[in-house]
PDB file of all heavy atoms in Angstrom:
ATOM      1  N   MET V 978       0.828  -1.201   0.000  1.00 91.00           N
ATOM      2  CA  MET V 978       0.000   0.000   0.000  1.00 91.00           C
ATOM      3  C   MET V 978       0.861   1.249   0.000  1.00 91.00           C
ATOM      4  O   MET V 978       1.993   1.216   0.468  1.00 91.00           O
ATOM      5  CB  MET V 978      -0.980  -0.053   1.168  1.00 91.00           C
ATOM      6  CG  MET V 978      -0.536   0.548   2.439  1.00 91.00           C
ATOM      7  SD  MET V 978      -1.587   0.137   3.853  1.00 91.00           S
ATOM      8  CE  MET V 978      -1.527  -1.636   3.911  1.00 91.00           C
ATOM      9  N   TYR V 979       0.326   2.314  -0.499  1.00 97.00           N
ATOM     10  CA  TYR V 979       1.053   3.583  -0.661  1.00 97.00           C
ATOM     11  C   TYR V 979       0.303   4.663   0.111  1.00 97.00           C
ATOM     12  O   TYR V 979      -0.871   4.913  -0.155  1.00 97.00           O
ATOM     13  CB  TYR V 979       1.138   3.968  -2.142  1.00 97.00           C
ATOM     14  CG  TYR V 979       1.971   3.013  -2.945  1.00 97.00           C
ATOM     15  CD1 TYR V 979       1.484   1.769  -3.305  1.00 97.00           C
ATOM     16  CD2 TYR V 979       3.260   3.350  -3.343  1.00 97.00           C
ATOM     17  CE1 TYR V 979       2.250   0.880  -4.029  1.00 97.00           C
ATOM     18  CE2 TYR V 979       4.029   2.468  -4.080  1.00 97.00           C
ATOM     19  CZ  TYR V 979       3.529   1.239  -4.411  1.00 97.00           C
ATOM     20  OH  TYR V 979       4.292   0.354  -5.138  1.00 97.00           O
ATOM     21  N   LEU V 980       1.004   5.263   1.072  1.00 97.00           N
ATOM     22  CA  LEU V 980       0.345   6.272   1.920  1.00 97.00           C
ATOM     23  C   LEU V 980       0.681   7.680   1.467  1.00 97.00           C
ATOM     24  O   LEU V 980       1.743   7.917   0.877  1.00 97.00           O
ATOM     25  CB  LEU V 980       0.803   6.106   3.368  1.00 97.00           C
ATOM     26  CG  LEU V 980       0.596   4.741   4.022  1.00 97.00           C
ATOM     27  CD1 LEU V 980       1.025   4.801   5.482  1.00 97.00           C
ATOM     28  CD2 LEU V 980      -0.848   4.300   3.926  1.00 97.00           C
ATOM     29  N   ASN V 981      -0.219   8.589   1.789  1.00 98.00           N
ATOM     30  CA  ASN V 981       0.039   9.997   1.506  1.00 98.00           C
ATOM     31  C   ASN V 981       1.178  10.503   2.389  1.00 98.00           C
ATOM     32  O   ASN V 981       1.436   9.950   3.464  1.00 98.00           O
ATOM     33  CB  ASN V 981      -1.240  10.813   1.743  1.00 98.00           C
ATOM     34  CG  ASN V 981      -2.101  10.845   0.498  1.00 98.00           C
ATOM     35  OD1 ASN V 981      -1.596  10.925  -0.619  1.00 98.00           O
ATOM     36  ND2 ASN V 981      -3.404  10.751   0.673  1.00 98.00           N
ATOM     37  N   PRO V 982       1.830  11.570   1.949  1.00 98.00           N
ATOM     38  CA  PRO V 982       3.009  12.038   2.690  1.00 98.00           C
ATOM     39  C   PRO V 982       2.658  12.817   3.955  1.00 98.00           C
ATOM     40  O   PRO V 982       1.594  13.427   4.061  1.00 98.00           O
ATOM     41  CB  PRO V 982       3.685  12.978   1.679  1.00 98.00           C
ATOM     42  CG  PRO V 982       2.561  13.483   0.844  1.00 98.00           C
ATOM     43  CD  PRO V 982       1.573  12.362   0.744  1.00 98.00           C
ATOM     44  N   ILE V 983       3.601  12.761   4.885  1.00 98.00           N
ATOM     45  CA  ILE V 983       3.594  13.648   6.058  1.00 98.00           C
ATOM     46  C   ILE V 983       4.680  14.672   5.741  1.00 98.00           C
ATOM     47  O   ILE V 983       5.800  14.276   5.422  1.00 98.00           O
ATOM     48  CB  ILE V 983       4.012  12.889   7.346  1.00 98.00           C
ATOM     49  CG1 ILE V 983       3.226  11.577   7.499  1.00 98.00           C
ATOM     50  CG2 ILE V 983       3.901  13.776   8.574  1.00 98.00           C
ATOM     51  CD1 ILE V 983       1.763  11.739   7.698  1.00 98.00           C
ATOM     52  N   PHE V 984       4.349  15.945   5.785  1.00 98.00           N
ATOM     53  CA  PHE V 984       5.391  16.912   5.389  1.00 98.00           C
ATOM     54  C   PHE V 984       5.433  18.121   6.305  1.00 98.00           C
ATOM     55  O   PHE V 984       4.504  18.365   7.090  1.00 98.00           O
ATOM     56  CB  PHE V 984       5.214  17.336   3.930  1.00 98.00           C
ATOM     57  CG  PHE V 984       3.834  17.778   3.551  1.00 98.00           C
ATOM     58  CD1 PHE V 984       3.387  19.050   3.848  1.00 98.00           C
ATOM     59  CD2 PHE V 984       2.981  16.905   2.878  1.00 98.00           C
ATOM     60  CE1 PHE V 984       2.125  19.455   3.486  1.00 98.00           C
ATOM     61  CE2 PHE V 984       1.707  17.304   2.515  1.00 98.00           C
ATOM     62  CZ  PHE V 984       1.267  18.589   2.822  1.00 98.00           C
ATOM     63  N   ARG V 985       6.516  18.840   6.193  1.00 97.00           N
ATOM     64  CA  ARG V 985       6.696  20.053   6.999  1.00 97.00           C
ATOM     65  C   ARG V 985       5.788  21.166   6.489  1.00 97.00           C
ATOM     66  O   ARG V 985       5.562  21.276   5.282  1.00 97.00           O
ATOM     67  CB  ARG V 985       8.151  20.538   6.899  1.00 97.00           C
ATOM     68  CG  ARG V 985       9.149  19.669   7.612  1.00 97.00           C
ATOM     69  CD  ARG V 985      10.544  20.246   7.445  1.00 97.00           C
ATOM     70  NE  ARG V 985      11.547  19.409   8.073  1.00 97.00           N
ATOM     71  CZ  ARG V 985      11.900  19.506   9.360  1.00 97.00           C
ATOM     72  NH1 ARG V 985      11.321  20.423  10.140  1.00 97.00           N
ATOM     73  NH2 ARG V 985      12.814  18.716   9.867  1.00 97.00           N
ATOM     74  N   TYR V 986       5.303  21.973   7.410  1.00 97.00           N
ATOM     75  CA  TYR V 986       4.571  23.182   7.036  1.00 97.00           C
ATOM     76  C   TYR V 986       4.623  24.182   8.182  1.00 97.00           C
ATOM     77  O   TYR V 986       5.217  23.887   9.233  1.00 97.00           O
ATOM     78  CB  TYR V 986       3.147  22.843   6.591  1.00 97.00           C
ATOM     79  CG  TYR V 986       2.106  22.652   7.677  1.00 97.00           C
ATOM     80  CD1 TYR V 986       0.900  23.333   7.616  1.00 97.00           C
ATOM     81  CD2 TYR V 986       2.315  21.784   8.744  1.00 97.00           C
ATOM     82  CE1 TYR V 986      -0.074  23.162   8.586  1.00 97.00           C
ATOM     83  CE2 TYR V 986       1.338  21.608   9.704  1.00 97.00           C
ATOM     84  CZ  TYR V 986       0.153  22.303   9.624  1.00 97.00           C
ATOM     85  OH  TYR V 986      -0.797  22.125  10.591  1.00 97.00           O
ATOM     86  N   ASP V 987       3.993  25.336   7.949  1.00 95.00           N
ATOM     87  CA  ASP V 987       4.133  26.418   8.933  1.00 95.00           C
ATOM     88  C   ASP V 987       3.199  26.276  10.129  1.00 95.00           C
ATOM     89  O   ASP V 987       3.227  27.103  11.044  1.00 95.00           O
ATOM     90  CB  ASP V 987       3.931  27.781   8.259  1.00 95.00           C
ATOM     91  CG  ASP V 987       2.546  27.912   7.635  1.00 95.00           C
ATOM     92  OD1 ASP V 987       1.696  27.026   7.877  1.00 95.00           O
ATOM     93  OD2 ASP V 987       2.312  28.883   6.894  1.00 95.00           O
ATOM     94  N   GLY V 988       2.356  25.260  10.106  1.00 94.00           N
ATOM     95  CA  GLY V 988       1.448  25.046  11.240  1.00 94.00           C
ATOM     96  C   GLY V 988       0.177  25.862  11.164  1.00 94.00           C
ATOM     97  O   GLY V 988      -0.660  25.807  12.066  1.00 94.00           O
ATOM     98  N   LYS V 989       0.013  26.672  10.102  1.00 91.00           N
ATOM     99  CA  LYS V 989      -1.186  27.535  10.022  1.00 91.00           C
ATOM    100  C   LYS V 989      -2.049  27.164   8.828  1.00 91.00           C
ATOM    101  O   LYS V 989      -3.124  26.601   8.978  1.00 91.00           O
ATOM    102  CB  LYS V 989      -0.752  29.006   9.910  1.00 91.00           C
ATOM    103  CG  LYS V 989      -0.037  29.529  11.136  1.00 91.00           C
ATOM    104  CD  LYS V 989       0.519  30.924  10.857  1.00 91.00           C
ATOM    105  CE  LYS V 989       1.610  31.281  11.849  1.00 91.00           C
ATOM    106  NZ  LYS V 989       2.488  32.327  11.371  1.00 91.00           N
ATOM    107  N   THR V 990      -1.576  27.464   7.637  1.00 89.00           N
ATOM    108  CA  THR V 990      -2.411  27.280   6.440  1.00 89.00           C
ATOM    109  C   THR V 990      -2.402  25.829   5.965  1.00 89.00           C
ATOM    110  O   THR V 990      -1.349  25.192   5.932  1.00 89.00           O
ATOM    111  CB  THR V 990      -1.908  28.170   5.292  1.00 89.00           C
ATOM    112  OG1 THR V 990      -0.482  28.100   5.277  1.00 89.00           O
ATOM    113  CG2 THR V 990      -2.337  29.601   5.450  1.00 89.00           C
ATOM    114  N   THR V 991      -3.590  25.336   5.599  1.00 88.00           N
ATOM    115  CA  THR V 991      -3.683  23.981   5.061  1.00 88.00           C
ATOM    116  C   THR V 991      -3.009  23.973   3.683  1.00 88.00           C
ATOM    117  O   THR V 991      -3.396  24.738   2.802  1.00 88.00           O
ATOM    118  CB  THR V 991      -5.156  23.565   4.914  1.00 88.00           C
ATOM    119  OG1 THR V 991      -5.763  23.712   6.194  1.00 88.00           O
ATOM    120  CG2 THR V 991      -5.278  22.122   4.448  1.00 88.00           C
ATOM    121  N   PRO V 992      -2.005  23.131   3.496  1.00 92.00           N
ATOM    122  CA  PRO V 992      -1.284  23.149   2.219  1.00 92.00           C
ATOM    123  C   PRO V 992      -2.170  22.691   1.061  1.00 92.00           C
ATOM    124  O   PRO V 992      -2.921  21.725   1.172  1.00 92.00           O
ATOM    125  CB  PRO V 992      -0.145  22.148   2.445  1.00 92.00           C
ATOM    126  CG  PRO V 992      -0.076  21.956   3.910  1.00 92.00           C
ATOM    127  CD  PRO V 992      -1.449  22.162   4.437  1.00 92.00           C
ATOM    128  N   GLN V 993      -2.104  23.421  -0.041  1.00 93.00           N
ATOM    129  CA  GLN V 993      -2.852  23.068  -1.253  1.00 93.00           C
ATOM    130  C   GLN V 993      -1.993  23.362  -2.468  1.00 93.00           C
ATOM    131  O   GLN V 993      -1.222  24.328  -2.466  1.00 93.00           O
ATOM    132  CB  GLN V 993      -4.136  23.899  -1.353  1.00 93.00           C
ATOM    133  CG  GLN V 993      -5.228  23.436  -0.403  1.00 93.00           C
ATOM    134  CD  GLN V 993      -6.476  24.282  -0.539  1.00 93.00           C
ATOM    135  OE1 GLN V 993      -6.401  25.495  -0.663  1.00 93.00           O
ATOM    136  NE2 GLN V 993      -7.620  23.636  -0.521  1.00 93.00           N
ATOM    137  N   ASN V 994      -2.182  22.560  -3.513  1.00 95.00           N
ATOM    138  CA  ASN V 994      -1.430  22.802  -4.748  1.00 95.00           C
ATOM    139  C   ASN V 994      -2.244  23.750  -5.632  1.00 95.00           C
ATOM    140  O   ASN V 994      -2.777  23.371  -6.660  1.00 95.00           O
ATOM    141  CB  ASN V 994      -1.181  21.474  -5.474  1.00 95.00           C
ATOM    142  CG  ASN V 994      -0.267  21.645  -6.671  1.00 95.00           C
ATOM    143  OD1 ASN V 994       0.579  22.535  -6.706  1.00 95.00           O
ATOM    144  ND2 ASN V 994      -0.449  20.794  -7.666  1.00 95.00           N
ATOM    145  N   THR V 995      -2.343  24.990  -5.160  1.00 93.00           N
ATOM    146  CA  THR V 995      -3.159  25.969  -5.891  1.00 93.00           C
ATOM    147  C   THR V 995      -2.475  26.377  -7.192  1.00 93.00           C
ATOM    148  O   THR V 995      -1.264  26.262  -7.327  1.00 93.00           O
ATOM    149  CB  THR V 995      -3.388  27.235  -5.044  1.00 93.00           C
ATOM    150  OG1 THR V 995      -2.133  27.601  -4.508  1.00 93.00           O
ATOM    151  CG2 THR V 995      -4.376  26.990  -3.933  1.00 93.00           C
ATOM    152  N   PHE V 996      -3.296  26.894  -8.109  1.00 93.00           N
ATOM    153  CA  PHE V 996      -2.760  27.313  -9.406  1.00 93.00           C
ATOM    154  C   PHE V 996      -1.831  28.499  -9.185  1.00 93.00           C
ATOM    155  O   PHE V 996      -2.269  29.571  -8.770  1.00 93.00           O
ATOM    156  CB  PHE V 996      -3.912  27.692 -10.339  1.00 93.00           C
ATOM    157  CG  PHE V 996      -3.491  27.754 -11.768  1.00 93.00           C
ATOM    158  CD1 PHE V 996      -3.646  26.647 -12.581  1.00 93.00           C
ATOM    159  CD2 PHE V 996      -2.922  28.900 -12.304  1.00 93.00           C
ATOM    160  CE1 PHE V 996      -3.234  26.679 -13.906  1.00 93.00           C
ATOM    161  CE2 PHE V 996      -2.512  28.942 -13.615  1.00 93.00           C
ATOM    162  CZ  PHE V 996      -2.674  27.832 -14.426  1.00 93.00           C
ATOM    163  N   ALA V 997      -0.529  28.309  -9.450  1.00 94.00           N
ATOM    164  CA  ALA V 997       0.431  29.357  -9.117  1.00 94.00           C
ATOM    165  C   ALA V 997       1.214  29.864 -10.320  1.00 94.00           C
ATOM    166  O   ALA V 997       2.018  30.784 -10.191  1.00 94.00           O
ATOM    167  CB  ALA V 997       1.394  28.835  -8.055  1.00 94.00           C
ATOM    168  N   ALA V 998       0.994  29.257 -11.499  1.00 96.00           N
ATOM    169  CA  ALA V 998       1.743  29.700 -12.688  1.00 96.00           C
ATOM    170  C   ALA V 998       1.245  31.079 -13.117  1.00 96.00           C
ATOM    171  O   ALA V 998       0.042  31.346 -13.100  1.00 96.00           O
ATOM    172  CB  ALA V 998       1.552  28.689 -13.809  1.00 96.00           C
ATOM    173  N   GLN V 999       2.179  31.967 -13.461  1.00 97.00           N
ATOM    174  CA  GLN V 999       1.825  33.332 -13.879  1.00 97.00           C
ATOM    175  C   GLN V 999       1.681  33.391 -15.393  1.00 97.00           C
ATOM    176  O   GLN V 999       2.545  32.916 -16.127  1.00 97.00           O
ATOM    177  CB  GLN V 999       2.937  34.304 -13.460  1.00 97.00           C
ATOM    178  CG  GLN V 999       3.138  34.423 -11.962  1.00 97.00           C
ATOM    179  CD  GLN V 999       2.038  35.242 -11.311  1.00 97.00           C
ATOM    180  OE1 GLN V 999       1.679  36.311 -11.792  1.00 97.00           O
ATOM    181  NE2 GLN V 999       1.477  34.713 -10.229  1.00 97.00           N
ATOM    182  N   TYR V1000       0.595  33.992 -15.844  1.00 97.00           N
ATOM    183  CA  TYR V1000       0.345  34.146 -17.274  1.00 97.00           C
ATOM    184  C   TYR V1000       1.422  35.039 -17.884  1.00 97.00           C
ATOM    185  O   TYR V1000       1.641  36.161 -17.423  1.00 97.00           O
ATOM    186  CB  TYR V1000      -1.050  34.751 -17.460  1.00 97.00           C
ATOM    187  CG  TYR V1000      -1.429  35.077 -18.877  1.00 97.00           C
ATOM    188  CD1 TYR V1000      -1.193  34.191 -19.914  1.00 97.00           C
ATOM    189  CD2 TYR V1000      -2.059  36.289 -19.185  1.00 97.00           C
ATOM    190  CE1 TYR V1000      -1.565  34.497 -21.218  1.00 97.00           C
ATOM    191  CE2 TYR V1000      -2.429  36.594 -20.473  1.00 97.00           C
ATOM    192  CZ  TYR V1000      -2.176  35.702 -21.492  1.00 97.00           C
ATOM    193  OH  TYR V1000      -2.541  36.000 -22.777  1.00 97.00           O
ATOM    194  N   ASN V1001       2.096  34.531 -18.906  1.00 98.00           N
ATOM    195  CA  ASN V1001       3.153  35.294 -19.575  1.00 98.00           C
ATOM    196  C   ASN V1001       2.590  35.847 -20.887  1.00 98.00           C
ATOM    197  O   ASN V1001       2.506  35.148 -21.890  1.00 98.00           O
ATOM    198  CB  ASN V1001       4.349  34.356 -19.817  1.00 98.00           C
ATOM    199  CG  ASN V1001       5.521  35.058 -20.450  1.00 98.00           C
ATOM    200  OD1 ASN V1001       5.368  36.074 -21.118  1.00 98.00           O
ATOM    201  ND2 ASN V1001       6.704  34.508 -20.247  1.00 98.00           N
ATOM    202  N   LEU V1002       2.215  37.121 -20.834  1.00 98.00           N
ATOM    203  CA  LEU V1002       1.534  37.762 -21.969  1.00 98.00           C
ATOM    204  C   LEU V1002       2.431  37.803 -23.206  1.00 98.00           C
ATOM    205  O   LEU V1002       2.009  37.442 -24.318  1.00 98.00           O
ATOM    206  CB  LEU V1002       1.119  39.183 -21.570  1.00 98.00           C
ATOM    207  CG  LEU V1002       0.267  39.934 -22.583  1.00 98.00           C
ATOM    208  CD1 LEU V1002      -1.146  39.398 -22.609  1.00 98.00           C
ATOM    209  CD2 LEU V1002       0.239  41.427 -22.256  1.00 98.00           C
ATOM    210  N   LEU V1003       3.672  38.222 -23.009  1.00 98.00           N
ATOM    211  CA  LEU V1003       4.594  38.357 -24.145  1.00 98.00           C
ATOM    212  C   LEU V1003       4.854  36.990 -24.786  1.00 98.00           C
ATOM    213  O   LEU V1003       4.787  36.835 -26.014  1.00 98.00           O
ATOM    214  CB  LEU V1003       5.908  38.989 -23.664  1.00 98.00           C
ATOM    215  CG  LEU V1003       6.931  39.296 -24.754  1.00 98.00           C
ATOM    216  CD1 LEU V1003       6.400  40.380 -25.693  1.00 98.00           C
ATOM    217  CD2 LEU V1003       8.251  39.751 -24.137  1.00 98.00           C
ATOM    218  N   GLY V1004       5.153  36.011 -23.927  1.00 98.00           N
ATOM    219  CA  GLY V1004       5.420  34.661 -24.428  1.00 98.00           C
ATOM    220  C   GLY V1004       4.225  34.083 -25.162  1.00 98.00           C
ATOM    221  O   GLY V1004       4.359  33.435 -26.208  1.00 98.00           O
ATOM    222  N   THR V1005       3.034  34.367 -24.638  1.00 98.00           N
ATOM    223  CA  THR V1005       1.809  33.843 -25.256  1.00 98.00           C
ATOM    224  C   THR V1005       1.622  34.424 -26.655  1.00 98.00           C
ATOM    225  O   THR V1005       1.358  33.698 -27.621  1.00 98.00           O
ATOM    226  CB  THR V1005       0.582  34.189 -24.378  1.00 98.00           C
ATOM    227  OG1 THR V1005       0.766  33.573 -23.109  1.00 98.00           O
ATOM    228  CG2 THR V1005      -0.706  33.693 -25.001  1.00 98.00           C
ATOM    229  N   TRP V1006       1.830  35.752 -26.799  1.00 98.00           N
ATOM    230  CA  TRP V1006       1.600  36.361 -28.115  1.00 98.00           C
ATOM    231  C   TRP V1006       2.720  36.038 -29.105  1.00 98.00           C
ATOM    232  O   TRP V1006       2.469  35.944 -30.307  1.00 98.00           O
ATOM    233  CB  TRP V1006       1.363  37.867 -27.979  1.00 98.00           C
ATOM    234  CG  TRP V1006      -0.078  38.073 -27.598  1.00 98.00           C
ATOM    235  CD1 TRP V1006      -0.565  38.334 -26.357  1.00 98.00           C
ATOM    236  CD2 TRP V1006      -1.214  37.935 -28.457  1.00 98.00           C
ATOM    237  NE1 TRP V1006      -1.937  38.374 -26.379  1.00 98.00           N
ATOM    238  CE2 TRP V1006      -2.362  38.148 -27.657  1.00 98.00           C
ATOM    239  CE3 TRP V1006      -1.392  37.662 -29.805  1.00 98.00           C
ATOM    240  CZ2 TRP V1006      -3.661  38.084 -28.163  1.00 98.00           C
ATOM    241  CZ3 TRP V1006      -2.679  37.605 -30.314  1.00 98.00           C
ATOM    242  CH2 TRP V1006      -3.798  37.811 -29.509  1.00 98.00           C
ATOM    243  N   LEU V1007       3.923  35.831 -28.574  1.00 98.00           N
ATOM    244  CA  LEU V1007       5.011  35.363 -29.458  1.00 98.00           C
ATOM    245  C   LEU V1007       4.658  33.986 -30.019  1.00 98.00           C
ATOM    246  O   LEU V1007       4.815  33.721 -31.214  1.00 98.00           O
ATOM    247  CB  LEU V1007       6.325  35.281 -28.676  1.00 98.00           C
ATOM    248  CG  LEU V1007       7.174  36.544 -28.656  1.00 98.00           C
ATOM    249  CD1 LEU V1007       8.365  36.356 -27.741  1.00 98.00           C
ATOM    250  CD2 LEU V1007       7.642  36.907 -30.069  1.00 98.00           C
ATOM    251  N   MET V1008       4.157  33.125 -29.113  1.00 98.00           N
ATOM    252  CA  MET V1008       3.755  31.779 -29.536  1.00 98.00           C
ATOM    253  C   MET V1008       2.621  31.864 -30.565  1.00 98.00           C
ATOM    254  O   MET V1008       2.617  31.166 -31.574  1.00 98.00           O
ATOM    255  CB  MET V1008       3.324  30.995 -28.295  1.00 98.00           C
ATOM    256  CG  MET V1008       2.884  29.570 -28.504  1.00 98.00           C
ATOM    257  SD  MET V1008       1.106  29.396 -28.692  1.00 98.00           S
ATOM    258  CE  MET V1008       0.493  29.982 -27.127  1.00 98.00           C
ATOM    259  N   ARG V1009       1.698  32.781 -30.348  1.00 98.00           N
ATOM    260  CA  ARG V1009       0.564  32.920 -31.274  1.00 98.00           C
ATOM    261  C   ARG V1009       1.025  33.437 -32.636  1.00 98.00           C
ATOM    262  O   ARG V1009       0.478  33.035 -33.676  1.00 98.00           O
ATOM    263  CB  ARG V1009      -0.496  33.852 -30.665  1.00 98.00           C
ATOM    264  CG  ARG V1009      -1.244  33.144 -29.542  1.00 98.00           C
ATOM    265  CD  ARG V1009      -2.239  34.026 -28.839  1.00 98.00           C
ATOM    266  NE  ARG V1009      -2.911  33.253 -27.785  1.00 98.00           N
ATOM    267  CZ  ARG V1009      -3.693  33.754 -26.869  1.00 98.00           C
ATOM    268  NH1 ARG V1009      -3.938  35.050 -26.839  1.00 98.00           N
ATOM    269  NH2 ARG V1009      -4.263  32.986 -25.968  1.00 98.00           N
ATOM    270  N   LEU V1010       2.023  34.318 -32.632  1.00 98.00           N
ATOM    271  CA  LEU V1010       2.576  34.796 -33.916  1.00 98.00           C
ATOM    272  C   LEU V1010       3.191  33.629 -34.683  1.00 98.00           C
ATOM    273  O   LEU V1010       3.020  33.514 -35.906  1.00 98.00           O
ATOM    274  CB  LEU V1010       3.643  35.869 -33.664  1.00 98.00           C
ATOM    275  CG  LEU V1010       3.123  37.293 -33.503  1.00 98.00           C
ATOM    276  CD1 LEU V1010       4.279  38.237 -33.191  1.00 98.00           C
ATOM    277  CD2 LEU V1010       2.421  37.753 -34.796  1.00 98.00           C
ATOM    278  N   ILE V1011       3.900  32.766 -33.945  1.00 98.00           N
ATOM    279  CA  ILE V1011       4.508  31.592 -34.581  1.00 98.00           C
ATOM    280  C   ILE V1011       3.416  30.696 -35.152  1.00 98.00           C
ATOM    281  O   ILE V1011       3.521  30.200 -36.279  1.00 98.00           O
ATOM    282  CB  ILE V1011       5.400  30.825 -33.565  1.00 98.00           C
ATOM    283  CG1 ILE V1011       6.609  31.672 -33.194  1.00 98.00           C
ATOM    284  CG2 ILE V1011       5.841  29.478 -34.142  1.00 98.00           C
ATOM    285  CD1 ILE V1011       7.386  31.165 -31.989  1.00 98.00           C
TER     286      ILE V1011
END
Side-chain angles (χ1 to χ4, degrees):
Chain V
M978 91 192 59
Y979 294 76
L980 303 184
N981 273 322
I983 311 295
F984 50 80
R985 289 180 182 273
Y986 83 129
D987 60 9
K989 295 172 199 159
T990 42
T991 304
Q993 284 180 319
N994 187 29
T995 47
F996 196 94
Q999 296 285 313
Y1000 175 45
N1001 182 335
L1002 186 74
L1003 185 66
T1005 299
W1006 278 101
L1007 271 175
M1008 181 266 298
R1009 286 176 180 170
L1010 275 177
I1011 293 167

